[in-house]
Amino acid sequence: MNIRIGILGYGNLGRGVECAVRQNPDMELRAVFTRRDPKQLQILTDTARVCSAEALKEWQKELDVLILCGGSATDLPVQTPEYAKFFNVVDSFDTHARIPEHFAAVDAAAKEGGKTAVISAGWDPGMFSLNRMYANAILPEGKDYTFWGRGVSQGHSDAVRRISGVKDAKQYTIPVEKALASVRAGENPDLTTREKHTRECFVVLEEGADAAQVENAIKTMPNYFADYDTTVHFISEEEMKRDHNRIPHGGFVLRSGVTGWEKENRHLIEYSLKLDSNPEFTSSVIAAYARAAYRLASEGVHGCKTVFDIAPAYLSSKSGEELRASML
Amino acid sequence: MNIRIGILGYGNLGRGVECAVRQNPDMELRAVFTRRDPKQLQILTDTARVCSAEALKEWQKELDVLILCGGSATDLPVQTPEYAKFFNVVDSFDTHARIPEHFAAVDAAAKEGGKTAVISAGWDPGMFSLNRMYANAILPEGKDYTFWGRGVSQGHSDAVRRISGVKDAKQYTIPVEKALASVRAGENPDLTTREKHTRECFVVLEEGADAAQVENAIKTMPNYFADYDTTVHFISEEEMKRDHNRIPHGGFVLRSGVTGWEKENRHLIEYSLKLDSNPEFTSSVIAAYARAAYRLASEGVHGCKTVFDIAPAYLSSKSGEELRASML
């Protein structure tokens, strides 16, 4: 029998999960749950229903895993603990600093309900975290580097959009090639924020807005831009639609370490992602961890798990024999 | 209490494990076991003993994990099942095609003895396998590529050394940049053996040997060289010692895949290693999996495991809380 999936929330991530489920033949989307009017929501999967989020708890026997596709700021801190009592759940909670408290809340709820929850499945947190952890375990003496981009930062794009006179904006985070090259060369540089990434903004102005003023407001914005070298391009609405309609992202996780009795040998471990669609890749990671959540639940392993706690084989549709014969 | 480690076999790998154990503060090397005369063997660790392999079974209460550092051709197929009855063991068995039978033999032995065995820990098999598996689980529709090098192939170096007239030889496997670039560009090329790697040999001739004859013997050698573009350099013994005394290696695992309802978005996952010392990096992976073997054994999880079966957190000396707070 297929793994029966439900999705709560139908933004970019929810739609991405819908697409990812279709690519996994052992999974089946049963329903999308929305806080909007279900009648107004059009999904892609003919065989799945669209239901009100209020009806969710009636679906306990109909779903194997519920995937929570809300935002990390306000949705998931409430939703994941709430639904982990009733469903096996997966989320992609990505506020790094708040993961410990989110874990604690979800763990308590999942244990209370006898369910399995996976939090922070995605690529950072997620695949990047895994690679940081593996690399640190293998090379205990070394230095870590994470670079992001080239890709769209939703948070920074939103920050620019809030500036008065800005009609629309998209911000790209770009790793500095020179810094990457230095890390790859084993130079173990100490890098400032400015030396690691640059920021590039594409801005559509409101009619009559002052470009110089907007540019200055962006470049001096604390936390978001002041510590970076930022380039601002003013473009038309048509250019925005034509050239910036995707949500690409990616990045690099590196660890540079030493081995040998005299620490005489150097090693570099590098993991990188180049993604056309940030939400769809995140969704693909979520789908694989939904399979893991389902299997762990079947084995009676309850509570909250992260990517660190789940053996890789749980993610794959292949059996142990198949994996050993084809991929080891 | 520290994890008490024993090493069987003291070649490049055994010495690498000795160095790796020193870099892990929760581990302690207790003894190196050798089939040679223990009196003739000098190790680096003052506090560890050197003993005859024949005495190994008397050490059952003194060791938490025995690391098997023999070769995959003849040593490990015998040693790992033999010692898995009496010790928790880790090996780096790397004959890909024979992993299923090795797994079966070790699994039976470990279960019989109530022990935990980890086989094929290293980087290929090992970290490369993990990355192939994760990437396949995340992107079910895509294409895999593995490139090796630039690095020394022991097997190919040995093959050249067996040619009459060759005094010493070292063979480097080199990935073809153009092929790598095509994969990275998302072109999903179908690559022949020749298009993926070139081979470069450095050869010291016996006095009076015919260089042209040796070069021809190398380049036409079936399986090893005939399907590759091979370059042969003749050098002096001094140059060999000065310029080719290391055992570097590395390589690249890539998966190029698509997502989206119409498969309209492309993604590239890339994992790469650049290693000064192949045996020392392999040893570092082994040390991390020795920690995992010890912990699994403590939890009563017996039998044979591979990198696919072991949750990442088992490799780290950090607690779950620490990992979530610092690396997720």
Side-chain angles (χ1 to χ4, degrees):
Chain A
M1 197 169 90
N2 284 342
I3 304 170
R4 300 165 303 168
I5 302 285
I7 292 172
L8 174 59
Y10 198 71
N12 285 329
L13 194 64
R15 185 187 298 250
V17 171
E18 179 179 25
C19 295
V21 166
R22 186 161 80 147
Q23 289 188 294
N24 286 285
D26 59 340
M27 296 183 190
E28 190 185 335
L29 181 65
R30 283 300 178 95
V32 171
F33 300 88
T34 177
R35 287 174 295 184
R36 294 178 266 173
D37 175 5
K39 289 194 198 76
Q40 304 299 313
L41 186 63
Q42 193 72 37
I43 65 171
L44 300 164
T45 309
D46 292 338
T47 52
R49 287 179 58 190
V50 180
C51 304
S52 165
E54 288 167 25
L56 231 174
K57 287 176 190 169
E58 298 159 23
W59 281 74
Q60 284 185 61
K61 295 211 167 124
E62 309 300 322
L63 300 178
D64 295 310
V65 184
L66 176 65
I67 298 177
L68 303 169
C69 297
S72 294
T74 56
D75 296 332
L76 298 177
V78 176
Q79 290 176 351
T80 314
E82 180 179 346
Y83 291 111
K85 284 183 212 150
F86 305 102
F87 295 95
N88 302 311
V89 297
V90 182
D91 80 16
S92 58
F93 184 78
D94 66 359
T95 312
H96 291 264
R98 301 189 61 190
I99 286 174
E101 58 186 291
H102 189 56
F103 180 90
V106 175
D107 192 47
K111 281 177 176 157
E112 184 190 325
K115 299 294 178 188
T116 308
V118 179
I119 61 161
S120 303
W123 60 275
D124 195 6
M127 298 313 296
F128 273 19
S129 323
L130 269 180
N131 276 280
R132 282 189 283 264
M133 207 234 82
Y134 273 119
N136 272 270
I138 294 167
L139 296 175
E141 297 184 67
K143 212 167 160 177
D144 292 305
Y145 296 89
T146 302
F147 293 86
W148 295 273
R150 185 180 190 258
V152 173
S153 161
Q154 222 59 61
H156 286 79
S157 300
D158 290 346
V160 175
R161 274 188 219 106
R162 283 193 294 265
I163 294 172
S164 144
V166 171
K167 189 169 185 184
D168 197 4
K170 209 124 186 193
Q171 193 270 184
Y172 295 86
T173 305
I174 304 163
V176 175
E177 269 304 326
K178 204 182 129 194
L180 250 173
S182 168
V183 173
R184 285 185 182 137
E187 293 165 4
N188 288 346
D190 289 311
L191 298 165
T192 63
T193 300
R194 194 177 298 275
E195 287 166 337
K196 286 185 72 186
H197 298 93
T198 56
R199 299 195 177 279
E200 191 172 16
C201 303
F202 294 85
V203 176
V204 181
L205 290 174
E206 303 269 15
E207 230 178 271
D210 180 336
Q213 215 163 45
V214 167
E215 180 164 346
N216 185 60
I218 294 173
K219 290 186 172 177
T220 59
M221 195 186 296
N223 302 318
Y224 285 88
F225 293 98
D227 299 335
Y228 298 86
D229 290 334
T230 302
T231 317
V232 179
H233 307 278
F234 294 101
I235 60 173
S236 68
E237 235 177 320
E238 292 65 42
E239 288 170 312
M240 179 65 83
K241 271 191 194 128
R242 188 191 66 205
D243 302 333
H244 303 281
N245 61 343
R246 294 195 161 201
I247 318 171
H249 220 312
F252 306 80
V253 172
L254 305 104
R255 186 165 174 85
S256 166
V258 291
T259 65
W261 199 252
E262 306 292 347
K263 305 182 187 180
E264 65 273 28
N265 288 312
R266 293 185 313 185
H267 307 276
L268 184 76
I269 304 174
E270 176 170 348
Y271 179 80
S272 70
L273 295 172
K274 213 170 92 193
L275 314 174
D276 270 0
S277 165
N278 182 352
E280 284 182 11
F281 188 80
T282 300
S283 300
S284 300
V285 176
I286 288 175
Y289 278 98
R291 180 181 292 120
Y294 170 73
R295 291 191 184 159
L296 288 167
S298 311
E299 294 177 6
V301 179
H302 299 145
C304 187
K305 308 287 166 193
T306 76
V307 294
F308 297 149
D309 309 310
I310 297 174
Y314 282 97
L315 308 191
S316 174
S317 60
K318 296 189 172 170
S319 71
E321 286 80 3
E322 286 173 315
L323 288 176
R324 286 191 292 277
S326 67
M327 288 197 190
L328 199 61
Chain B
M1 198 170 91
N2 285 341
I3 304 170
R4 301 166 301 169
I5 302 286
I7 291 172
L8 174 59
Y10 197 71
N12 285 328
L13 194 65
R15 184 189 298 250
V17 171
E18 180 179 23
C19 296
V21 165
R22 185 161 81 147
Q23 290 188 293
N24 286 284
D26 59 341
M27 297 184 191
E28 190 186 334
L29 181 66
R30 284 299 179 96
V32 171
F33 300 88
T34 177
R35 287 174 296 185
R36 294 178 265 174
D37 175 5
K39 289 196 198 76
Q40 303 300 312
L41 186 64
Q42 192 72 37
I43 65 171
L44 301 165
T45 309
D46 293 337
T47 51
R49 289 179 56 189
V50 179
C51 304
S52 164
E54 287 167 25
L56 232 173
K57 286 176 192 168
E58 298 157 24
W59 281 73
Q60 283 185 63
K61 295 211 168 123
E62 308 301 323
L63 300 178
D64 295 311
V65 184
L66 176 66
I67 297 177
L68 303 168
C69 297
S72 295
T74 56
D75 296 332
L76 298 177
V78 176
Q79 290 175 350
T80 315
E82 182 179 343
Y83 292 109
K85 283 183 212 149
F86 305 102
F87 296 95
N88 302 312
V89 297
V90 182
D91 79 17
S92 59
F93 184 78
D94 67 357
T95 312
H96 291 263
R98 300 189 61 190
I99 285 174
E101 59 186 290
H102 189 57
F103 180 91
V106 176
D107 192 48
K111 281 177 177 157
E112 185 189 324
K115 298 293 177 189
T116 309
V118 179
I119 61 162
S120 303
W123 58 276
D124 196 5
M127 299 312 296
F128 273 20
S129 322
L130 269 180
N131 276 280
R132 282 189 284 264
M133 206 234 85
Y134 274 118
N136 272 269
I138 294 167
L139 296 175
E141 298 183 67
K143 212 167 160 177
D144 292 306
Y145 297 88
T146 302
F147 293 86
W148 295 273
R150 185 180 190 257
V152 172
S153 163
Q154 222 58 59
H156 287 77
S157 299
D158 291 345
V160 175
R161 274 188 220 108
R162 282 193 294 265
I163 294 170
S164 144
V166 172
K167 190 168 186 184
D168 197 5
K170 209 123 185 193
Q171 193 269 185
Y172 295 86
T173 306
I174 303 163
V176 175
E177 270 304 325
K178 202 182 129 194
L180 250 173
S182 168
V183 173
R184 286 185 182 138
E187 293 166 3
N188 288 345
D190 289 312
L191 298 166
T192 63
T193 299
R194 193 176 298 275
E195 286 166 337
K196 287 185 72 186
H197 298 93
T198 56
R199 299 195 177 279
E200 191 172 16
C201 303
F202 293 85
V203 177
V204 180
L205 289 174
E206 304 271 16
E207 229 180 270
D210 180 336
Q213 216 163 42
V214 167
E215 180 163 348
N216 185 61
I218 295 172
K219 291 186 171 177
T220 58
M221 196 188 295
N223 302 318
Y224 285 88
F225 293 99
D227 299 334
Y228 297 85
D229 291 335
T230 302
T231 317
V232 179
H233 308 277
F234 294 101
I235 60 174
S236 69
E237 236 176 321
E238 292 64 42
E239 288 170 311
M240 179 64 81
K241 270 189 196 132
R242 189 191 63 206
D243 303 333
H244 303 281
N245 61 342
R246 295 194 160 205
I247 319 172
H249 219 313
F252 306 81
V253 172
L254 304 105
R255 184 164 176 85
S256 167
V258 292
T259 66
W261 200 252
E262 306 292 348
K263 304 182 188 179
E264 64 274 29
N265 288 312
R266 293 186 313 185
H267 307 276
L268 184 75
I269 303 173
E270 176 170 348
Y271 179 80
S272 70
L273 296 172
K274 211 170 94 192
L275 313 174
D276 269 2
S277 165
N278 181 354
E280 284 182 12
F281 188 81
T282 300
S283 300
S284 300
V285 176
I286 288 175
Y289 278 97
R291 180 181 292 119
Y294 171 73
R295 291 190 183 161
L296 288 168
S298 312
E299 294 177 6
V301 179
H302 299 143
C304 186
K305 307 287 166 194
T306 75
V307 294
F308 297 149
D309 308 311
I310 297 174
Y314 281 97
L315 308 191
S316 174
S317 60
K318 296 189 172 169
S319 71
E321 285 81 2
E322 287 173 313
L323 288 176
R324 285 190 293 276
S326 67
M327 290 198 189
L328 197 60

